[in-house]
Amino acid sequence: MMAVKKYLLFRSLYVLFMLLVFLAPEICARMIARFTPPVGTRSLYKEISQGYALHDQLVADWRALHFEYRDYYLYSPGPASSKTVNFTSYFGARATPASVDVKDAKEIIWTFGGSTMQNLEADDELTLANQIATELNKQGIPTHLYNFGTGAFQSSLETVKFQDLLRRTPPREHPTTVIFYDGFNDSIFAYLYGAGRFQSDTSSKLQDLIERDYPRLFIYAASEWLGDRSVFWNNYMRKRVDITLHAGHPPDDSRENLVKAVTIYATNVKMTKGICKELGIRCLFFLQPLVITKHPLGAVEATVVESLGNAKIQFGQTFYNEVRLVLADEPVFHDISHILDGIEGSHFFDYGHTSPFAGVPIGKAIALHVIRARELVHSH
């Protein structure tokens, strides 16, 4: 009997020991996460958001964002509701509180862009897109705006989504004006993944699915499942597994790749311009500001630029210079890459993402271009 008790005690201690071995990393990770302040770009974002009362609420509300599959353009934000970040069921458009009722609008605007147009760095009121609507309404032009900005989209995917929405929506819902806000992803993705390429980890996952590489898909799915449930796995293992499976190719700063990237962007502008002309839609294309186009730099921005590396900076700046030359005679193309120059303080916390306040001057500048384009049409 004593031998049985000793055996059971030994087994219980062994199970307890093994549980502690497996749980220790999770317990430690949760303790570290609880008492560790934000690092990297998160800490820089907080630094340039001084005085923004909704900062903590906004960061918490980022969890509201999720994506849904879409034919042709892969995905869009799904409907989501929170105090500061809201997405509608209308093809993933982010809410624009300044919009008037669509039946009262003289301007129906669609905006396209990547994460900088999606603008999770600001609450719904302060987003770049909402500030466009705010300014146009102030100028006596009742506006309803749909913000289709989507993280990781570049001009090629935006063009695809624009065409798909034109096919899927009835003519009465078609826009009077469409705004494309680009430069960030068209330049950085070309450097990191190759001209015209999408984000390589997404492409690689789709390739695994289509080519039926189930072992890689299983490892990735298991890692994501664990990451959603374990702080340790999410903070220390999830990214490593993703990089190992979907690392892609080294950056390409060659002249050939650069020229191809410029050509692809310019071609997207010209193709989309033709579609707009045929359908009687006013299309405007904006080359957005980046930290590598800003002058002078604030203290945080100087730190960001120093971290980027010369090859990435040179590629991005040359891309911008050559896009300006190629599209110089296009009346629908507008270079607003220096719109934040001279405004005191730091406005960027990475290559192109901005503080919660930057959408106000950028949105106002874009709205003024819309007004001028309207006046040009009416003068004829």
Side-chain angles (χ1 to χ4, degrees):
M1 188 71 178
M2 288 295 295
V4 172
K5 287 183 177 179
K6 285 183 180 180
Y7 174 77
L8 291 175
L9 177 62
F10 173 78
R11 291 286 295 179
S12 299
L13 290 173
Y14 176 77
V15 170
L16 180 62
F17 173 75
M18 293 305 295
L19 282 172
L20 287 173
V21 167
F22 284 106
L23 287 175
E26 182 66 18
I27 294 169
C28 290
R30 288 176 183 265
M31 293 294 290
I32 292 170
R34 183 177 183 133
F35 296 105
T36 302
V39 295
T41 57
R42 280 280 300 277
S43 66
L44 295 180
Y45 168 69
K46 186 171 185 178
E47 187 173 345
I48 67 172
S49 301
Q50 295 294 323
Y52 180 51
L54 293 174
H55 173 273
D56 292 346
Q57 182 65 56
L58 179 68
V59 172
D61 289 348
W62 286 345
R63 291 192 296 266
L65 177 66
H66 66 282
F67 293 100
E68 296 180 335
Y69 169 77
R70 299 284 184 179
D71 288 340
Y72 304 115
Y73 52 89
L74 305 180
Y75 61 86
S76 69
S81 177
S82 69
K83 291 182 179 178
T84 62
V85 178
N86 295 276
F87 287 89
T88 71
S89 59
Y90 194 79
F91 302 101
R94 185 171 179 183
T96 51
S99 288
V100 303
D101 193 287
V102 69
K103 70 178 185 299
D104 299 321
K106 290 185 178 178
E107 279 285 346
I108 297 176
I109 297 179
W110 290 358
T111 63
F112 293 91
S115 55
T116 48
M117 178 56 78
Q118 182 174 268
N119 210 179
L120 289 176
E121 301 76 32
D123 60 273
D124 293 337
E125 289 281 353
L126 284 180
T127 59
L128 158 59
N130 194 62
Q131 290 302 309
I132 297 171
T134 298
E135 184 62 26
L136 289 171
N137 288 329
K138 282 182 182 177
Q139 298 296 328
I141 306 171
T143 298
H144 189 95
L145 188 147
Y146 296 95
N147 178 9
F148 294 119
T150 305
F153 270 38
Q154 25 74 312
S155 63
S156 295
L157 271 178
E158 293 159 28
T159 300
V160 173
K161 180 167 184 175
F162 173 51
Q163 293 179 42
D164 190 55
L165 293 190
L166 288 174
R167 291 188 292 265
R168 290 179 186 270
T169 55
R172 68 177 182 279
E173 295 181 17
H174 285 179
T176 54
T177 299
V178 179
I179 291 166
F180 293 89
Y181 182 74
D182 291 300
F184 185 138
N185 290 339
D186 281 86
S187 61
I188 198 69
F189 283 7
Y191 172 76
L192 292 174
Y193 314 126
R197 295 290 305 276
F198 191 59
Q199 199 165 303
S200 67
D201 61 325
T202 304
S203 298
S204 179
K205 292 160 194 169
L206 289 170
Q207 181 179 354
D208 289 346
L209 180 64
I210 291 168
E211 297 181 0
R212 302 163 71 101
D213 194 334
Y214 298 133
R216 280 165 55 95
L217 283 171
F218 175 79
I219 293 169
Y220 173 70
S223 178
E224 290 296 293
W225 186 88
L226 282 171
D228 288 341
R229 290 157 179 80
S230 163
V231 174
F232 168 74
W233 196 271
N234 184 63
N235 290 355
Y236 299 100
M237 300 302 297
R238 189 179 205 162
K239 189 173 181 179
R240 294 182 184 184
V241 171
D242 198 14
I243 290 173
T244 301
L245 292 173
H246 311 112
H249 303 288
D252 183 357
D253 63 351
S254 68
R255 177 66 187 169
E256 179 184 4
N257 186 45
L258 176 67
V259 171
K260 188 175 180 181
V262 172
T263 301
I264 288 170
Y265 175 70
T267 301
N268 286 335
V269 169
K270 292 175 180 178
M271 284 194 306
T272 308
K273 174 190 169 186
I275 293 170
C276 290
K277 183 177 180 181
E278 179 66 25
L279 296 178
I281 298 170
R282 185 183 305 110
C283 281
L284 301 174
F285 302 84
F286 294 91
L287 192 63
Q288 70 182 100
L290 301 175
V291 70
I292 61 172
T293 67
K294 186 170 180 284
H295 181 79
L297 295 171
V300 171
E301 292 164 339
T303 301
V304 171
V305 168
E306 188 176 350
S307 71
L308 292 177
N310 289 332
K312 187 183 292 184
I313 293 170
Q314 186 65 36
F315 189 94
Q317 289 177 337
T318 306
F319 174 89
Y320 264 50
N321 290 337
E322 299 204 6
V323 162
R324 292 186 191 106
L325 289 174
V326 171
L327 297 175
D329 296 328
E330 285 288 351
V332 296
F333 172 76
H334 303 283
D335 176 13
I336 60 168
S337 60
H338 293 285
I339 194 67
L340 298 177
D341 287 9
I343 302 178
E344 187 178 353
S346 292
H347 300 280
F348 294 95
F349 64 91
D350 65 10
Y351 188 77
H353 294 103
T354 58
S355 77
F357 316 111
V360 177
I362 300 172
K364 184 174 182 178
I366 292 176
L368 292 176
H369 279 289
V370 173
I371 292 170
R372 291 189 194 112
R374 283 169 53 90
E375 291 172 346
L376 190 63
V377 170
H378 294 154
S379 67
H380 287 75

